[in-house]
């Protein structure tokens, strides 16, 4: 008899069952979470951006401090007639023709010796006006002064008046600023008294001239408080509104008086 070969279609063998189990485990294996190393570049980028902003703010603050430090530590330079001449040219260059600008050039002879920063106000005035005693004795005209000292504020004017003691002698000194003093009161005072020396701001002096309370023709000396600096380290001609009023006053007859050499200019 021939033996029949039997083919089994029943349960799988042990090897096949093991392979199926491995495949199922691979399919159901959990996906690993991204490691922290993959997030690190994003964290580094954010941190770097914050540092950049902080550095920018620090740089801006440092620049502001640097400007103030330069102003505070810069070596003071005394004003010169050339400084005033240049300011006159800059101020009028946009509104005057070339010929008119040339006419505004002041002669060297109208400038007195400038303060070299070694003088007090009294010692400087004694140097530029050695005949002051004789001048004040012969002055008898009302609504006028022999000498004007221009400064940037009422407070500064009071400081200058206090420092005039050694120079003024018996001369009558008048405050020419707006603080607590009305224009009409000053006009009446000038009409009734002989004043030798006026100290004040260009705005009030200009207003007195405008209202015919102050006549500039007898004026012999016009002194600018040029080198003094306020708390913000500004000189009087560094302040736009003061500079504007100074030039408006110069236009009210000062230029012509300088050219006729009857008026002298000083930079204290």
């Amino acid at each position: 008899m021939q033996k029949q070969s039997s083919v089994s279609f029943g349960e799988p063998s042990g090897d096949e069952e093991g392979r199926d189990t491995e495949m199922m485990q691979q399919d159901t294996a959990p996906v690993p979470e991204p490691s922290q190393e993959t997030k690190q570049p994003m964290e580094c980028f954010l941190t770097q951006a914050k540092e950049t902003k902080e550095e920018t703010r620090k740089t801006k603050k440092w620049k502001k401090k640097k400007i103030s430090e330069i102003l505070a530590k810069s070596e003071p330079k005394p004003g010169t007639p050339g400084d005033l001449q240049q300011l006159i040219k800059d101020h009028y260059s946009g509104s005057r023709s070339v010929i008119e600008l040339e006419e505004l050039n002041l002669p060297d002879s109208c400038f007195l010796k400038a303060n070299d920063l070694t003088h007090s106000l009294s010692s400087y005035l004694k140097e530029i006006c050695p005949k002051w005693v004789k001048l004040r004795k012969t002055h008898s005209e009302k609504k006028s002064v022999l000498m004007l000292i221009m400064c940037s504020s009422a407070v500064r004017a009071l400081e200058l008046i206090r420092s005039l003691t050694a120079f003024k002698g018996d001369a009558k000194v008048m405050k020419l600023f707006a603080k607590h003093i009305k224009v009409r009161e000053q006009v009446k005072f000038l009409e009734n008294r002989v004043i030798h020396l006026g100290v004040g701001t260009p705005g009030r002096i200009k207003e007195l001239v405008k209202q015919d309370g102050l006549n500039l023709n007898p004026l012999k000396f016009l002194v600018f408080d040029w080198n003094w600096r306020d708390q913000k380290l500004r000189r009087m001609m560094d302040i736009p509104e003061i500079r504007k009023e100074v030039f408006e006053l110069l236009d009210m007859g000062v230029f012509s008086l300088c050219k006729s050499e009857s008026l002298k200019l000083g930079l204290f």
Side-chain angles (χ1 to χ4, degrees), residues 96-162:
R96 304 288 177 96
S97 65
V98 176
I99 296 174
E100 288 173 328
L101 286 174
E102 289 179 357
E103 291 176 351
L104 291 176
N105 285 332
L106 299 175
D108 293 338
S109 58
C110 81
F111 286 99
L112 299 163
K113 182 179 179 181
N115 179 21
D116 58 2
L117 303 183
T118 62
H119 284 284
S120 66
L121 180 57
S122 285
S123 66
Y124 175 68
L125 296 180
K126 285 179 180 179
E127 181 174 299
I128 65 172
C129 184
K131 298 181 179 180
W132 173 250
V133 175
K134 183 179 179 180
L135 277 174
R136 67 176 174 79
K137 285 182 178 179
T138 57
H139 178 65
S140 60
E141 190 172 344
K142 296 178 181 178
K143 296 175 63 176
S144 67
V145 294
L146 288 172
M147 180 182 292
L148 273 176
I149 301 175
M150 285 197 304
C151 58
S152 58
S153 69
V155 174
R156 177 58 178 166
L158 293 174
E159 291 178 1
L160 292 172
I161 290 172
R162 286 193 291 268

Side-chain angles (χ1 to χ4, degrees), residues 16-79:
E16 291 175 345
E17 186 177 359
R19 282 194 298 272
D20 292 341
T21 302
E22 288 177 2
M23 291 177 65
M24 290 176 65
Q25 287 176 349
Q26 289 177 2
D27 292 339
T28 59
V31 179
E33 294 183 1
S35 64
Q36 293 182 355
E37 294 179 356
T38 59
K39 296 181 180 180
Q40 191 63 27
M42 186 178 293
E43 292 177 359
C44 290
F45 175 77
L46 292 173
T47 304
Q48 187 176 0
K50 289 180 181 178
E51 290 176 357
T52 303
K53 289 180 180 179
E54 290 174 1
E55 289 174 0
T56 303
R57 285 195 296 270
K58 287 179 180 178
T59 303
K60 288 181 179 179
K61 289 181 180 178
W62 178 76
K63 285 182 179 178
K64 289 180 180 178
K65 289 181 179 178
K66 184 179 179 182
I67 291 170
S68 62
E69 286 173 1
I70 288 174
L71 288 172
K73 295 180 180 180
S74 60
E75 194 170 324
K77 295 180 180 179

